[in-house]
Amino acid sequence: MSNWVVRLAPVAVHFFLLTSQVTEVSSLSPAQPASLSSRSNSKGSFAGPVSRRSTSLFGIRSTLARARDSLFSAERSDADLKSGIAFFYDRSSKLWEDVWGEHMHHGYYVPEDRTDHVQAQIDLIDEVLKWAYGAEDLAHIGPKRVVDVGCGIGGSSRHIVRKFPGSTAQGITLSPYQANRGNELAKEQGLSDRATFQVADALNMPFDDSSFDLVWSLESGEHMPDKRKFVNELMRVAAPGGRLIIVTWCHRDLEPGEASLSKKEEKILAKINRAYYLPKWCSVADYVDLLEKEGAVDIKREDWSYIIAPFWKAVIQSSLNLKSVIGLLKSGFSTVRGAYAMLLMLRGFNAGVIKFGLITCTKPVTSELPP
């Protein structure tokens, strides 16, 4: 990435933070404070009436206080996290699709200098599937019933059902906008009978036990406030012999003798949590431990941090073009704050505290699992 991008990115994003916060505050009615309790409708706009609010000195002070709180205050409750996630993705998903397309995740960079970023995102899905199943098993077996946990606008689901004839996928998300858009795209692509999307909580999925032979979670586990419950639900809906694939951002594994991350590492993660509505992080080792306690077998893990690393540069560069700038300003403060947090994510990645972890396992054929 060129030096001017590195120098300009923090300045540009700080400017967007201030200007878009003023814009978002001024578009809310007095009865709707600019907080996580403000919910959007399925089109990503505010559900209630709007009115203009003065951007006086008092308003600016309030804006700065709100921006400071968003980055540095205490952890959010589970309810705030859920409403904030839905709000964030209602507001940001259209911008992401306009710039990056229907796949809302990182890309696969082998070789690392590839520049076909949209194809790299598609390749990540294929490479994760090959890694989890093995290329030979994948070709002969392949999933038939898929649940996409944290589906975004459904890019993974639609790709998987196209890849495996006769397969079906059901996706869940907390964002009404994402669920609606996923169904729209499925209809446009002639896949509405094979890929469907709904609003649902991954910690309380609306599916029967043993419903799916592939339980797929791509970059959604980091949003789950109760990792034990999350893993329990993934195992519950998996059919006996079915496969779980979790691809998620984690913090590094603790070294022998370490009780926790360093204060500096925790501080970086806490700032990211405020921007992306994340709970406390866990490590890949923590996921492996939870899966073992659930009775999972054939557990395998991998660190693909450096395989996806070039995507950071591409995303930061894309945020500086005129189309993205306009989109950020229209999307509001929560989206702009997410753009700012990319710089924090990059810092955490370079420091070695943030890892892109892959975990896969199967549910045992026996129906007797730990209580």
Side-chain angles (χ1 to χ4, degrees), residues 147 149 172 201-210 212 215 226-238 244 294 363:
V147 60
V149 183
I172 61 170
D201 185 353
L203 301 184
N204 187 25
M205 289 190 270
F207 306 120
D208 294 335
D209 295 356
S210 305
F212 304 98
V215 179
D226 187 338
K227 300 296 193 294
R228 182 200 62 79
K229 177 64 174 172
F230 176 52
V231 169
N232 178 268
E233 275 292 275
L234 298 182
M235 289 289 288
R236 181 185 68 80
V237 301
L244 280 66
E294 288 290 335
K363 182 174 179 175

Side-chain angles (χ1 to χ4, degrees), residues 151-287:
C151 60
I153 59 174
S156 294
S157 295
R158 291 186 297 274
H159 179 74
I160 289 172
V161 298
R162 278 193 295 263
K163 186 179 182 71
F164 301 102
S167 62
T168 60
Q170 297 186 61
I172 61 170
T173 172
L174 289 174
S175 164
Y177 176 88
Q178 288 187 336
N180 289 342
R181 183 59 181 151
N183 286 319
E184 288 176 355
L185 289 170
K187 184 176 181 180
E188 291 173 9
Q189 297 170 17
L191 296 170
S192 57
D193 59 333
R194 298 178 58 201
T196 59
F197 308 93
Q198 63 181 298
V199 175
D201 185 353
L203 301 184
N204 187 25
M205 289 190 270
F207 306 120
D208 294 335
D209 295 356
S210 305
S211 294
F212 304 98
D213 60 359
L214 173 58
V215 179
W216 171 270
S217 173
L218 177 58
E219 296 186 37
S220 64
E222 52 267 35
H223 284 295
M224 308 302 167
D226 187 338
K227 300 296 193 294
R228 182 200 62 79
K229 177 64 174 172
F230 176 52
V231 169
N232 178 268
E233 275 292 275
L234 298 182
M235 289 289 288
R236 181 185 68 80
V237 301
R243 179 165 295 280
L244 280 66
I245 301 176
I246 304 170
V247 181
T248 185
W249 288 101
C250 291
H251 68 61
R252 64 173 178 83
D253 288 351
L254 298 180
E255 298 292 337
E258 279 189 312
S260 65
L261 298 173
S262 70
K263 290 183 178 180
K264 183 177 181 181
E265 290 172 329
E266 292 282 11
K267 187 175 181 180
I268 291 175
L269 298 184
K271 290 181 180 180
I272 294 169
N273 291 352
R274 294 302 300 175
Y276 287 141
Y277 304 99
L278 302 180
K280 284 188 175 180
W281 294 54
C282 72
S283 67
V284 172
D286 292 328
Y287 270 113

Side-chain angles (χ1 to χ4, degrees), residues 10 31 72 77-78 88 171 189 201 219 228 304 330 340 351 355:
F72 298 107
S77 68
D78 288 358
F88 176 79
Q189 297 170 17
D201 185 353
E219 296 186 37
R228 182 200 62 79
W304 279 17
K330 287 182 177 179
Y340 170 73
K355 300 292 183 180

Side-chain angles (χ1 to χ4, degrees), residues 23-313:
T23 301
E24 185 158 319
V25 169
S26 67
S27 69
L28 295 171
S29 67
Q32 281 186 302
S35 70
L36 293 179
S37 60
S38 300
R39 297 297 302 272
S40 59
N41 62 24
S42 62
K43 297 300 182 183
S45 60
F46 287 102
V50 297
S51 63
R52 305 300 296 177
R53 179 179 292 184
S54 171
T55 55
S56 63
L57 179 60
F58 174 81
I60 294 174
R61 286 174 178 169
S62 176
T63 291
L64 294 174
R66 213 172 268 113
R68 182 190 62 224
D69 173 75
S70 72
L71 292 175
F72 298 107
S73 64
E75 294 177 34
R76 297 181 174 103
S77 68
D78 288 358
D80 282 344
L81 287 171
K82 285 179 62 176
S83 62
I85 291 165
F87 179 81
F88 176 79
Y89 285 111
D90 278 352
R91 298 302 298 268
S92 64
S93 294
K94 184 180 186 303
L95 174 60
W96 182 273
E97 184 184 358
D98 287 346
V99 177
W100 288 100
E102 63 184 298
H103 297 285
M104 302 184 69
H105 55 79
H106 289 75
Y108 183 84
Y109 287 87
V110 177
E112 64 177 306
D113 61 348
R114 64 185 301 184
T115 58
D116 50 341
H117 304 299
V118 173
Q119 185 60 46
Q121 291 175 288
I122 297 170
D123 290 349
L124 182 74
I125 301 171
D126 291 335
E127 294 298 329
V128 167
L129 288 169
K130 285 194 292 185
W131 171 82
Y133 282 91
E136 187 173 339
D137 285 348
L138 186 64
H140 288 92
I141 305 173
K144 295 298 181 184
R145 296 167 296 156
V146 181
V147 60
D148 188 349
V149 183
C151 60
I153 59 174
S156 294
S157 295
R158 291 186 297 274
H159 179 74
I160 289 172
V161 298
R162 278 193 295 263
K163 186 179 182 71
F164 301 102
S167 62
T168 60
Q170 297 186 61
I172 61 170
T173 172
L174 289 174
S175 164
Y177 176 88
Q178 288 187 336
N180 289 342
R181 183 59 181 151
N183 286 319
E184 288 176 355
L185 289 170
K187 184 176 181 180
E188 291 173 9
Q189 297 170 17
L191 296 170
S192 57
D193 59 333
R194 298 178 58 201
T196 59
F197 308 93
Q198 63 181 298
V199 175
D201 185 353
L203 301 184
N204 187 25
M205 289 190 270
F207 306 120
D208 294 335
D209 295 356
S210 305
S211 294
F212 304 98
D213 60 359
L214 173 58
V215 179
W216 171 270
S217 173
L218 177 58
E219 296 186 37
S220 64
E222 52 267 35
H223 284 295
M224 308 302 167
D226 187 338
K227 300 296 193 294
R228 182 200 62 79
K229 177 64 174 172
F230 176 52
V231 169
N232 178 268
E233 275 292 275
L234 298 182
M235 289 289 288
R236 181 185 68 80
V237 301
R243 179 165 295 280
L244 280 66
I245 301 176
I246 304 170
V247 181
T248 185
W249 288 101
C250 291
H251 68 61
R252 64 173 178 83
D253 288 351
L254 298 180
E255 298 292 337
E258 279 189 312
S260 65
L261 298 173
S262 70
K263 290 183 178 180
K264 183 177 181 181
E265 290 172 329
E266 292 282 11
K267 187 175 181 180
I268 291 175
L269 298 184
K271 290 181 180 180
I272 294 169
N273 291 352
R274 294 302 300 175
Y276 287 141
Y277 304 99
L278 302 180
K280 284 188 175 180
W281 294 54
C282 72
S283 67
V284 172
D286 292 328
Y287 270 113
V288 170
D289 182 60
L290 289 170
L291 288 164
E292 288 176 343
K293 290 176 179 177
E294 288 290 335
V297 296
D298 303 322
I299 300 173
K300 181 170 67 168
R301 58 170 290 177
E302 196 70 67
D303 180 1
W304 279 17
S305 299
Y306 287 90
I307 288 177
I308 58 86
F311 196 66
W312 286 113
K313 297 177 182 179

